[in-house]
Amino acid sequence: MVVTELPRRTLLLALWTLQPLSSRLAPSARVSLPGGESARGELQYPSWLEGTWEVTSTIESFTVPLGTAFVDPFTLASAEEDIAEEEQLRYLMRFVTDAESPGSCIQDRGFNGAQEAAAFLGAMGDLVSCVYTVELDAPHGRLVLAFAAEERAIGSGDGSTSADVWIDLVVRWQQSQRLRDGAYVTSELLEQRVSQPGQVDEVSLVESITRFEPPQRGGVGEVTARNRLAQYYSPDGEYAAMARDRAVACYDYSWRMQRVSADRVLGDTDVLKARRV
């Protein structure tokens, strides 16, 4: 029997929607762009995550599923250095009550975006603004980060700073699943656009897949999680046809999350600045 393209795609979509999201975290998983219908609104989380957490993120592995030809040399060298140094980053993460869904919480995206940007993207310069919105064309959320080169941010004199780099992150798709063992798994696909004056915008797709393990019985102060960042070419990218919707790079992290007070600050200067945005 000859299987036409439409039935084949329908079958693959049906198989994808039956798979648990946690299977996308398996070491041997060949991750492709997520399919199926997106959940509505912002990504929801279980109530036991509500509050402020200090996250220690440790990089565990970096893989290039399609080979090194699909990844630029700088990314390869940077990832190899992080693995060799067993890089650990600390930042804060906050979850707040979801007024529209009792019993659930959502991320404080403006706060969390500034924290993660300061921890992961400090080399881009000083974070001068971090704005989160939910819009008609971004119903799952949009985060816009602006960075200024350090010498410009420090030397402005009058306190005003214009940006040198903008990162526009739009959540295009999201899903979550509660597993029988109590774990909670989330996946969201983000369209990332990096803009700099005088240069062509860089557009890519990044999927963030996270499995949160619930607190031990009787304890509420610590949570562990596994996170995978899978990078894809944008659909209109130069090599998108060759990649065929498959991830070209995967970063795997382990998270240790400790509950802290809402007024907690970290000692790192950049993170302190981010917290005040």
Side-chain angles (χ1 to χ4, degrees), residues 27-169:
S28 60
R30 298 298 291 262
V31 185
S32 298
L33 280 172
E37 185 177 354
S38 175
R40 294 182 179 181
E42 296 180 80
L43 187 59
Q44 294 183 336
Y45 297 84
S47 59
W48 44 262
L49 277 173
E50 185 173 343
T52 303
W53 304 81
E54 182 176 319
V55 181
T56 301
S57 174
T58 304
I59 189 166
E60 301 291 347
S61 66
F62 172 76
T63 55
V64 284
L66 304 185
T68 57
F70 285 85
V71 182
D72 66 271
F74 176 81
T75 297
L76 287 172
S78 177
E80 290 171 358
E81 181 180 352
D82 291 345
I83 293 291
E85 296 179 353
E86 298 180 339
E87 182 187 54
Q88 284 190 335
L89 296 173
R90 287 193 310 134
Y91 50 91
L92 300 177
M93 182 176 288
R94 180 180 294 161
F95 297 84
V96 296
T97 300
D98 183 1
E100 298 182 2
S101 181
S104 299
C105 59
I106 56 176
Q107 285 198 48
D108 183 343
R109 295 281 188 170
F111 178 89
N112 294 349
Q115 286 285 316
E116 293 180 25
F120 283 88
L121 304 174
M124 283 195 166
D126 203 26
L127 180 66
V128 295
S129 71
C130 176
V131 179
Y132 177 73
T133 57
V134 176
E135 308 164 3
L136 285 176
D137 63 342
H140 310 305
R142 162 178 264 130
L143 185 71
V144 180
L145 304 161
F147 297 85
E150 286 190 17
E151 61 273 12
R152 279 166 34 76
I154 295 172
S156 59
D158 61 359
S160 62
T161 305
S162 59
D164 296 298
V165 182
W166 294 265
I167 300 180
D168 185 0
L169 292 164

Side-chain angles (χ1 to χ4, degrees), residues 215-234:
Q216 296 295 319
R217 180 170 296 182
V220 296
E222 184 168 316
V223 166
T224 59
R226 293 167 51 208
N227 173 252
R228 168 170 289 173
L229 295 180
Q231 295 186 336
Y232 306 88
Y233 287 129
S234 64

Side-chain angles (χ1 to χ4, degrees), residues 148-216:
E150 286 190 17
E151 61 273 12
R152 279 166 34 76
I154 295 172
S156 59
D158 61 359
S160 62
T161 305
S162 59
D164 296 298
V165 182
W166 294 265
I167 300 180
D168 185 0
L169 292 164
V170 180
V171 180
R172 294 300 186 192
W173 180 96
Q174 58 95 352
Q175 278 286 0
S176 59
Q177 291 178 349
R178 193 186 304 270
L179 305 184
R180 291 183 178 179
D181 62 3
Y184 196 80
V185 187
T186 65
S187 174
E188 55 186 346
L189 182 67
L190 302 99
E191 180 184 273
Q192 175 179 277
R193 181 179 298 272
V194 180
S195 304
Q196 299 182 67
Q199 298 189 28
V200 177
D201 289 357
E202 297 179 13
V203 182
S204 61
L205 297 174
V206 180
E207 182 186 7
S208 179
I209 314 160
T210 309
R211 174 178 173 137
F212 296 91
E213 303 295 340
Q216 296 295 319

